Amino acid sequence: MLKASGAAAGALGVGATAPATPATAADTPFAHPGLLHTRADLGRMAARVKAGAEPYTAGFAKLTANRHAQSGWRANPQAVVYRGSGSPENYRILYNDIHAAYQNALRYHVSGDGAHADTAVAILNAWSGKLTRLEGSADRFLAAGLYGYQFANAAELVREHPDFALGRAQELMSGVFHPLSDDFLRRHNNAVVTNYWPNWDLTAVACVLATGIFCDDRAVVERAVEYFKHGDGMGSVRHAIPVVHDDGLAEWVEAGRDQGHALLGVGLMGTVCEMAWNQGIDLYGYDDSRFLKGAQYVAKWCLGGDVPYTANTRRKGAIGGWSGSETASGVAVADPAMTRPIWAMIAHHYTRRRGLSATYVTRAAAKAAPEGGGGDYGPNSGGFDQLGFGTLAFTRGRADDVSAPPSPAASGDAGGGVRPQSGASASAGPAAGRDLAATGAEDVVGWAAAAGVTAVAGGLLLLRRRGGTE
């Protein structure tokens, strides 16, 4: 039995079970619901809360206490939403309403109270019936990416409701949110491709992927998957995580910027991986589980541990206009008290679905539990960048471990593959400064460490040294 206190980062390469590998079938219809939550996930949450099982009940209590999760919420739709510039700068109305829709929809699936489903439907229908465009500074791309993937996730939870205007919601995704996100991945606001830090790309990838799944557009899904793997911008996996060390940690390039944006990036990449997984596309395991190594790095750093950082210089500026460069020479200062609701989803995928050790990620998840959602992490936009409630939604016991997601439907090079990788490596891609415009803002011991949280109740993971491949 490997104890957390003795598990170095190199324990990343140990596991007890054969890795989960999602089945793929290019012609299989997309699974619905199939973004962050599947039908099986929703059933598990409801059953565990009804049975009074922890930590599900603690996670559900966190949800029901949030003011956004109340059936009395009333939408305030806008025809034009501005972020970064323009008047009125009203994007806060949009993200508050989307989180209210998501939280009410999730609460409905767990409790069965139809009033919450009706509230979610009313909010989403109001916005799809009025919103026509997103405007502002470069931050309009952040608005499209963040609120687009979130709107799709809320809508996916009520797509079968008889009063839900599904076609209109799909038109909103494909006609308002998706075009800005797709354009950003192609042209990066007419900037040099390394001008923007990884989270800009990742918001766009999340929106494009969510649009493709929600609207049953396989070509759009393939576009997001291809960018995740091979995109030119800093949000593709080898650019966001450019260096893998011998100890199994991989540098998250935005750690050279600041902690808040690094957490945002990890949360977004986890969101992309989870949505893809639920359609049979394994991005979690892509490139020898590179994302896990990057998440481990960020978790260790946020917990107060020392991590290496390789200086990175990136080009900035507008194409045909001003230009310059900036070097991130060291890891930024991290506050161990800062957290975001991003860790439970990542930890449970790797430790439960795949049987791998994820020491630092697991400790971060335990420390953050029970995870809340929008409204629990301050009133500003950064507190609404993730949908949250991972303790409720993603906690898994051994009985929940399955080798593949339900009803997968993948495409082309979807499997992602798990390739051996030895020694330190560095990509030839860009490293990680200032944007063209202001930006928006050990497993067993780790699980047991959270007071009142018994996520390890399903049984201890026996860990053994694994070979060079999963």
Side-chain angles (χ1 to χ4, degrees):
M1 184 66 65
L2 182 64
K3 296 183 178 179
S5 58
L12 189 65
V14 299
T17 63
T21 304
T24 62
D27 297 326
T28 305
F30 287 114
H32 297 292
L35 288 174
L36 284 174
H37 313 301
T38 66
R39 198 174 304 280
D41 293 334
L42 297 168
R44 179 184 67 248
M45 296 178 224
R48 299 294 166 78
V49 169
K50 183 177 181 180
E54 292 290 0
Y56 302 91
T57 55
F60 187 60
K62 194 76 174 178
L63 173 63
T64 59
N66 193 302
R67 72 182 185 91
H68 295 77
Q70 311 309 313
S71 60
W73 189 280
R74 295 294 177 263
N76 183 17
Q78 309 289 304
V80 182
V81 166
Y82 297 90
R83 176 167 174 167
S85 65
S87 181
E89 195 172 359
N90 55 358
Y91 67 100
R92 295 172 181 81
I93 299 173
L94 176 57
Y95 69 64
N96 274 281
D97 275 2
I98 289 175
H99 280 257
Y102 171 77
Q103 291 180 27
N104 270 279
L106 189 62
R107 185 170 179 178
Y108 158 69
H109 279 285
V110 176
S111 70
D113 185 344
H116 294 288
D118 294 342
T119 297
V121 167
I123 296 168
L124 297 168
N125 284 350
W127 278 94
S128 69
K130 189 165 186 178
L131 181 63
T132 60
R133 66 186 194 274
L134 303 171
E135 299 286 353
S137 67
D139 282 13
R140 69 190 183 278
F141 294 108
L142 294 177
L146 289 167
Y147 313 140
Y149 95 77
Q150 293 173 358
F151 183 95
N153 269 276
E156 184 78 350
L157 293 179
V158 295
R159 68 182 293 141
E160 297 176 350
H161 193 287
D163 296 330
F164 178 55
L166 174 60
R168 207 167 68 198
Q170 289 174 324
E171 290 175 3
L172 180 63
M173 287 300 304
S174 62
V176 176
F177 292 112
H178 173 262
L180 279 170
S181 291
D182 185 66
D183 184 71
F184 185 84
L185 295 180
R186 296 181 189 278
R187 298 193 302 154
H188 287 87
N189 197 28
N190 294 316
V192 295
V193 72
T194 56
N195 185 80
Y196 290 95
W197 288 95
N199 71 82
W200 287 77
D201 272 2
L202 287 167
T203 62
V205 172
C207 179
V208 171
L209 179 61
T211 300
I213 295 170
F214 181 64
C215 298
D216 292 301
D217 191 325
R218 190 167 301 281
V220 172
V221 170
E222 290 172 347
R223 164 79 171 133
V225 171
E226 173 62 19
Y227 197 94
F228 177 94
K229 295 178 179 179
H230 306 299
D232 293 333
M234 294 184 66
S236 60
V237 67
R238 278 183 168 260
H239 293 165
I241 312 171
V243 181
V244 178
H245 293 282
D246 289 332
D247 64 0
L249 293 183
E251 294 179 21
W252 190 269
V253 72
E254 210 152 357
R257 182 186 185 188
D258 61 60
Q259 184 182 10
H261 286 97
L263 287 169
L264 169 60
V266 171
L268 287 168
M269 191 171 284
T271 293
V272 168
C273 289
E274 184 69 17
M275 293 190 299
W277 176 270
N278 286 332
Q279 298 300 332
I281 305 168
D282 186 10
L283 299 181
Y284 276 119
Y286 179 71
D287 198 12
D288 197 26
S289 298
R290 195 180 192 94
F291 174 51
L292 172 58
K293 297 167 186 176
Q296 283 274 82
Y297 173 98
V298 173
K300 181 181 180 181
W301 169 52
C302 289
L303 289 166
D306 293 327
V307 293
Y309 190 86
T310 304
N312 287 277
T313 300
R314 67 190 181 96
R315 291 183 60 229
K316 305 185 301 177
I319 296 174
W322 67 273
S323 63
S325 65
E326 185 173 61
T327 298
S329 58
V331 69
V333 174
D335 177 5
M338 180 184 289
T339 190
R340 287 290 185 268
I342 65 174
W343 298 113
M345 177 174 63
I346 302 167
H348 280 277
H349 172 81
Y350 286 111
T351 65
R352 295 303 190 186
R353 283 181 178 150
R354 303 196 99 110
L356 300 177
S357 173
T359 299
Y360 299 112
V361 168
T362 302
R363 286 172 54 195
K367 183 177 179 180
E371 289 180 352
D376 291 321
Y377 299 89
N380 297 324
S381 61
F384 291 80
D385 287 342
Q386 288 85 31
L387 290 168
F389 300 105
T391 305
L392 168 66
F394 302 110
T395 296
R396 300 174 184 277
R398 285 202 303 185
D400 304 311
D401 295 342
V402 293
S403 61
S407 303
S411 59
D413 183 29
V418 181
R419 299 197 293 270
Q421 182 170 330
S422 60
S425 66
S427 76
R434 189 175 65 84
D435 304 299
L436 279 174
T439 65
E442 163 138 81
D443 303 343
V444 170
V445 174
W447 287 125
V453 177
T454 56
V456 76
L460 304 182
L461 283 176
L462 294 175
L463 305 178
R464 59 176 172 80
R465 183 73 54 184
R466 66 181 174 97
T469 61
E470 295 181 17

